[in-house]
Amino acid sequence: MSLIIVTGVLLLDQFTKFLAERFLQLNTPVILIKNFLNLSLVHNRGAAFGIFKDQLFMFVVIAVCAIGFIFFNLKNKRRSLLSSISLSLISAGAAGNLIDRLRFGFVIDFIDLRV
């Protein structure tokens, strides 16, 4: 079941990033809910909020290790369903960002929560 979740989320991740690249302009927000939710295409060359900018090799190594660690831990049959789903979602996100970094050298971000 975990592989199905990872595959589905990964496909959705890549499809939505394709749409963002196609229909949004770089660094130009589209307001969906004023003062709360924007769509804003950003090419993130770092980690969260752009920290560790342009450290591509480091991010690739970390992502590969994280995905491997998560899949190793998903084999533990004593995990709860919620835990398995959570780890699957995290690994799909890491895999999606890894694909972006390998293809483009940056991660495509577009959801901008103003909380």
Side-chain angles (χ1 to χ4, degrees):
M1 181 170 108
S2 298
L3 189 57
I4 293 169
I5 293 171
V6 170
T7 303
V9 171
L10 185 55
L11 289 172
L12 183 62
D13 173 80
Q14 292 298 297
F15 180 65
T16 56
K17 289 175 179 180
F18 166 79
L19 292 175
E21 281 284 333
R22 175 131 165 97
F23 294 108
L24 298 174
Q25 293 181 6
L26 194 61
N27 301 314
T28 305
V30 174
I31 299 169
L32 295 181
I33 302 173
K34 188 175 181 177
N35 298 322
F36 181 68
L37 176 63
N38 296 342
L39 296 181
S40 184
L41 180 63
V42 176
H43 293 164
N44 189 349
R45 296 182 184 280
F49 312 110
I51 62 173
F52 302 115
K53 187 176 179 183
D54 294 322
Q55 299 298 314
L56 180 63
F57 180 76
M58 176 184 74
F59 289 123
V60 169
V61 170
I62 290 170
V64 169
C65 291
I67 294 166
F69 179 77
I70 289 170
F71 274 108
F72 176 78
N73 279 292
L74 280 171
K75 291 187 176 199
N76 181 351
K77 304 295 184 201
R78 295 184 182 187
R79 292 220 173 271
S80 70
L81 179 61
L82 182 60
S83 176
S84 294
I85 291 171
S86 300
L87 288 172
S88 297
L89 293 173
I90 292 167
S91 64
N97 287 354
L98 177 61
I99 289 169
D100 286 358
R101 289 188 194 283
L102 293 174
R103 286 181 66 200
F104 309 116
F106 53 81
V107 173
I108 298 169
D109 289 330
F110 63 94
I111 298 174
D112 183 11
L113 285 174
R114 301 288 175 147
V115 187

